Amino acid sequence: MTAVTQFVCPTSSDTIRAGHRLGENLRPGDVVLVSGALGSGKTTFIQGLVRGYGVDAVVTSPTFALIHVYSTGDRTVVHADPYRLKGAAEIATIGLEEYLDTDAVVAIEWPERLGDLISESAIRVAIIAGPDEARRIHVVLPERRQLGAG
């Protein structure tokens, strides 16, 4: 049975805190798929996730670079954004698959662009923007995983 946690985030600081809470609960090799409309707060959520996982880095959107890698000590987070890519052939050229079988945490915006690369064991995050910049964030963890108290 999967575990679902919902956050209501009226501000971007709340969105960062929600990401931080998930980051505190990540394990090496976890894949986090973050979906939401353009401007919904995906990168903001991942900023918190990176810090919560223990990586001290300035997190920016990889929309044009496609992949950013953040590391501190023995912890690495790979942040990918395949939004601009079209099809499996283009996605194969960015090297994302190389990170999927490592100890790096891989956070992917726009995961629907990945097709068959999406794993059943991935953590799924859906960000739904509401009025006044409020967001509802749904985190779906795979079987036998739960978010610890934050």
Side-chain angles (χ1 to χ4, degrees):
M1 181 158 173
T2 58
V4 179
T5 300
Q6 179 175 300
F7 299 94
V8 177
C9 301
T11 67
S12 46
S13 293
D14 294 320
T15 301
I16 289 171
R17 277 192 287 281
H20 193 281
R21 180 155 171 222
L22 177 59
E24 292 173 328
N25 288 274
L26 293 176
R27 301 173 186 162
D30 276 343
V31 176
V32 182
L33 308 175
V34 184
S35 62
L38 198 60
S40 63
K42 295 180 295 295
T43 299
T44 302
F45 181 84
I46 292 172
Q47 289 171 347
L49 180 149
V50 169
R51 290 221 173 96
Y53 187 61
V55 176
D56 185 23
V58 176
V59 175
T60 59
S61 174
T63 298
F64 296 102
L66 304 176
I67 293 179
H68 288 164
V69 179
Y70 307 106
S71 295
T72 299
D74 64 343
R75 293 184 177 240
T76 299
V77 177
V78 176
H79 181 192
D81 182 345
Y83 177 74
R84 297 183 310 114
L85 301 180
K86 293 171 182 58
E90 281 190 15
I91 289 167
T93 66
I94 68 170
L96 180 60
E97 288 181 83
E98 296 171 22
Y99 295 106
L100 293 176
D101 290 324
T102 69
D103 282 343
V105 166
V106 180
I108 304 169
E109 298 186 32
W110 301 101
E112 56 276 5
R113 304 256 195 228
L114 299 179
D116 293 341
L117 283 179
I118 295 176
S119 167
E120 289 297 318
S121 63
I123 296 166
R124 298 172 190 284
V125 177
I127 302 177
I128 302 152
D132 302 324
E133 296 187 31
R135 292 163 175 79
R136 285 201 339 248
I137 301 173
H138 299 271
V139 177
V140 180
L141 298 166
E143 275 191 49
R144 295 186 269 281
R145 296 277 303 264
Q146 293 184 346
L147 280 187

